[in-house]
Amino acid sequence: MRYNKEKALVRGKKKDKAFVRIFGGIFVLVGIILFTVCIFIYTSGHTFKAEATPVQAVILAMRGANHESLGTPVVEYTVGGKTYTSTLNLSSSSMHPGKQITVYYRNGNPQEVRYLDDNNWIIGLLLAMAFVFADMGLAFILVRRKHRQKIARLLATGDTVEAEITGIREDDNQSMNGRHPIIVSCRYVASDGRIYLFHSGSFWYESYEIDPKRKVRVYVDRNNPFNYYVDVDSVWDENGKKRV
């Protein structure tokens, strides 16, 4: 069976680039979103606190509390001789009915009340998560870039051997749109009888597009045979057909 080389190569390259952008980009995007949320929480709380007045409140109940949720605190407080009941915007493990806490109400509107004392740990947690996600995404992108640089060096300076394909399997560690890239295993028997086993990286071909009876080109570091690159693209010839 013949396949169009250009279409297969272009499709494979597009999928590889898309995977890097999607996988790395999602983590970076999540980090940016979390960082933005941190800024919003800090700015909102700081602005509200500047326009508010503190008052002592007592927790009447933890609405909706169960073994999976802390619940939402309902508090009672007095402003100008009038008693108000309100549900707070957040809760903590230290809250329980009967406990007194400090809340802040907006000047001129005692019914608009917030609990701000625990904002710092929330901001700290979200900030830490933001850096973790962003670092993971950037690390993935940088590792893939370094891998491409390694491939370029091997293509330019490595010794070339023609290896027999011994297996083709899907890479279950990577997935996009329900599909997995393939990994090609191969072996090369040197003139002195030594057998070298190689495994390719992930290529976004369909497994049926690679004929296991064909040979694949491998670029090997002259000083370190464990440093190599299996060029699965080389299964195709210059005419867009599978190599014989």
Side-chain angles (χ1 to χ4, degrees), residues 134-147:
D135 286 347
M136 289 177 63
L138 290 174
F140 177 78
I141 294 173
L142 291 175
V143 167
R144 293 299 289 258
R145 180 177 297 177
K146 187 175 181 180
H147 179 65

Side-chain angles (χ1 to χ4, degrees), residues 122-192:
I122 294 177
I123 293 173
L125 177 62
L126 290 176
L127 191 61
M129 293 175 61
F131 279 112
V132 168
F133 276 95
D135 286 347
M136 289 177 63
L138 290 174
F140 177 78
I141 294 173
L142 291 175
V143 167
R144 293 299 289 258
R145 180 177 297 177
K146 187 175 181 180
H147 179 65
R148 288 195 295 269
Q149 292 173 348
K150 168 191 169 182
I151 292 174
R153 286 195 299 269
L154 287 170
L155 290 175
T157 64
D159 289 332
T160 306
V161 300
E162 297 287 331
E164 297 178 351
I165 294 177
T166 58
I168 302 172
R169 65 177 179 85
E170 290 187 341
D171 182 3
D172 294 332
N173 293 322
Q174 298 186 37
S175 177
M176 185 169 61
N177 296 328
R179 294 184 176 272
H180 304 282
I182 62 170
I183 294 176
V184 174
S185 301
C186 55
R187 76 168 189 165
Y188 169 71
V189 181
S191 57
D192 59 3

Side-chain angles (χ1 to χ4, degrees), residues 15-226:
K15 285 186 177 181
D16 185 65
K17 290 181 180 179
F19 179 78
V20 173
R21 290 173 181 171
I22 292 173
F23 188 86
I26 285 177
F27 278 88
V28 173
L29 180 61
V30 170
I32 293 174
I33 292 175
L34 290 174
F35 184 73
T36 303
V37 172
C38 287
I39 295 176
F40 174 77
I41 292 176
Y42 174 80
T43 303
S44 176
H46 184 75
T47 301
F48 186 87
K49 197 170 185 178
E51 301 173 351
T53 301
V55 63
Q56 287 296 304
V58 60
I59 299 176
L60 299 179
M62 299 296 292
R63 182 176 296 165
N66 53 47
H67 64 283
E68 296 179 349
S69 172
L70 295 175
T72 305
V74 179
V75 299
E76 184 179 83
Y77 54 98
T78 301
V79 177
K82 185 177 180 180
T83 299
Y84 297 88
T85 300
S86 182
T87 302
L88 298 182
N89 56 310
L90 59 84
S91 60
S92 69
S93 57
S94 64
M95 291 182 175
H96 57 82
K99 181 177 180 179
Q100 288 192 347
I101 58 174
T102 299
V103 298
Y104 294 81
Y105 67 90
R106 187 181 295 278
N107 295 333
N109 185 11
Q111 291 183 319
E112 186 177 352
V113 62
R114 295 187 189 181
Y115 179 68
L116 301 175
D117 289 354
D118 274 0
N119 271 6
N120 289 337
W121 77 266
I122 294 177
I123 293 173
L125 177 62
L126 290 176
L127 191 61
M129 293 175 61
F131 279 112
V132 168
F133 276 95
D135 286 347
M136 289 177 63
L138 290 174
F140 177 78
I141 294 173
L142 291 175
V143 167
R144 293 299 289 258
R145 180 177 297 177
K146 187 175 181 180
H147 179 65
R148 288 195 295 269
Q149 292 173 348
K150 168 191 169 182
I151 292 174
R153 286 195 299 269
L154 287 170
L155 290 175
T157 64
D159 289 332
T160 306
V161 300
E162 297 287 331
E164 297 178 351
I165 294 177
T166 58
I168 302 172
R169 65 177 179 85
E170 290 187 341
D171 182 3
D172 294 332
N173 293 322
Q174 298 186 37
S175 177
M176 185 169 61
N177 296 328
R179 294 184 176 272
H180 304 282
I182 62 170
I183 294 176
V184 174
S185 301
C186 55
R187 76 168 189 165
Y188 169 71
V189 181
S191 57
D192 59 3
R194 291 184 181 181
I195 298 176
Y196 296 88
L197 301 178
F198 305 107
H199 300 281
S200 76
S202 299
F203 281 78
W204 290 94
Y205 288 125
E206 302 293 345
S207 58
Y208 60 79
E209 292 180 316
I210 305 299
D211 190 338
K213 296 180 181 180
R214 308 306 186 193
K215 289 187 176 182
V216 62
R217 191 174 298 132
V218 182
Y219 296 84
V220 185
D221 189 325
R222 296 170 183 173
N223 301 314
N224 180 12
F226 295 102

